[in-house]
Amino acid sequence: MSNAIKAGNGAEVYEHDIKYYADEYINDLPEKEDSINNNPSLFTGMIKYIYKHLFKPKRNDKVLYNSNSVLDTGDIELLDNIWNIYTELCYRYNKRPTLLNFSLLVGIGNDVFNSWIRGEYRAGENGASSPHCQTAKKWKAECESSLVDGATERNSVGCIFALKANYGYTETPQRIEITGANTPALSQEDIRQIADQARKESIPELLDSLPDE
């Protein structure tokens, strides 16, 4: 399944070199390897392969602000365009976008993205309203939205854990409702826990009701 598109004359062309190198990496995989759709390690390998060919500085390359990337970190519009291509690849190969993997792709540290999200871009007074801050927040929101989809549609344990660890999500206790005669069955362990809790709650009340003497 190629990432190329057909031009008007029927020829296959690539909208961006990112997709060209994605296909080159996939086509070079040995047949015995698992599909990239089912192997997260292969997808990460593809991301690093693209970085090596496109964004990793060569010996004579000029770098701006970042020694690990030929990209200008000041050009947030360019970075956002690359983000859009990156997320297209994620969804095509059944992967969830993350700022960490995007960092591997472009060679810009994940801590840099987090500083933009905090409004610390170039230490400006209006950093929180800067395009860098707003764009990085949009990237993070898309990552969160993808995890929510995974947690709600597939009840993915990995997505639920990531939401708890990175976005402060919590699970609410399950509520049990009794309708008519359909009472839920309780195990012996459930009954024991309920009894223990009842004793803990009733003993203070009993002590309060005792006379002072």
Side-chain angles (χ1 to χ4, degrees):
M1 188 166 56
S2 172
N3 283 291
I5 60 173
K6 284 191 175 181
N9 59 3
E12 288 194 339
V13 296
Y14 286 92
E15 295 176 299
H16 197 283
D17 285 345
I18 289 176
K19 294 185 176 181
Y20 169 81
Y21 283 110
D23 277 356
E24 184 172 272
Y25 174 85
I26 294 169
N27 292 335
D28 286 344
L29 290 175
E31 293 182 0
K32 64 182 179 180
E33 292 282 4
D34 294 336
S35 165
I36 194 168
N37 295 70
N38 302 317
N39 191 326
S41 296
L42 289 181
F43 184 79
T44 302
M46 182 185 75
I47 291 298
K48 297 186 74 171
Y49 183 84
I50 296 168
Y51 165 71
K52 181 179 73 173
H53 284 83
L54 290 181
F55 305 125
K56 184 177 181 179
K58 307 296 188 296
R59 183 180 297 244
N60 296 322
D61 284 339
K62 284 188 175 182
V63 295
L64 296 170
Y65 315 123
N66 188 340
S67 61
N68 295 318
S69 179
V70 297
L71 294 167
D72 178 2
T73 55
D75 192 343
I76 192 62
E77 185 176 351
L78 171 62
L79 294 176
D80 194 37
N81 288 336
I82 295 173
W83 170 267
N84 289 331
I85 299 171
Y86 160 68
T87 53
E88 284 181 27
L89 292 175
C90 288
Y91 301 138
R92 185 179 183 91
Y93 298 115
N94 197 30
K95 301 297 180 292
R96 310 224 170 262
T98 66
L99 289 177
L100 183 57
N101 258 352
F102 186 57
S103 170
L104 293 176
L105 173 67
V106 296
I108 299 172
N110 192 43
D111 57 332
V112 175
F113 298 147
N114 287 326
S115 72
W116 294 351
I117 291 170
R118 293 192 299 267
E120 298 172 358
Y121 177 67
R122 293 183 178 175
E125 184 177 350
N126 298 318
S129 61
S130 69
H132 279 71
C133 179
Q134 298 305 312
T135 302
K137 283 182 176 180
K138 183 195 73 172
W139 297 343
K140 186 175 181 180
E142 185 169 359
C143 296
E144 180 181 358
S145 176
S146 178
L147 289 172
V148 170
D149 289 343
T152 55
E153 294 171 3
R154 303 180 184 179
N155 197 26
S156 167
V157 175
C159 290
I160 294 171
F161 176 80
L163 286 169
K164 288 180 179 180
N166 300 311
Y167 297 94
Y169 281 62
T170 58
E171 288 184 272
T172 57
Q174 183 179 5
R175 179 181 175 184
I176 301 175
E177 294 185 358
I178 301 175
T179 305
N182 296 324
T183 58
L186 296 177
S187 66
Q188 291 296 323
E189 179 63 18
D190 292 333
I191 294 171
R192 186 188 65 77
Q193 291 181 359
I194 292 172
D196 289 344
Q197 186 63 31
R199 282 197 295 271
K200 290 177 184 177
E201 293 175 353
S202 60
I203 288 174
E205 294 177 358
L206 178 62
L207 292 176
D208 288 341
S209 65
L210 292 175
D212 295 337
E213 297 180 356

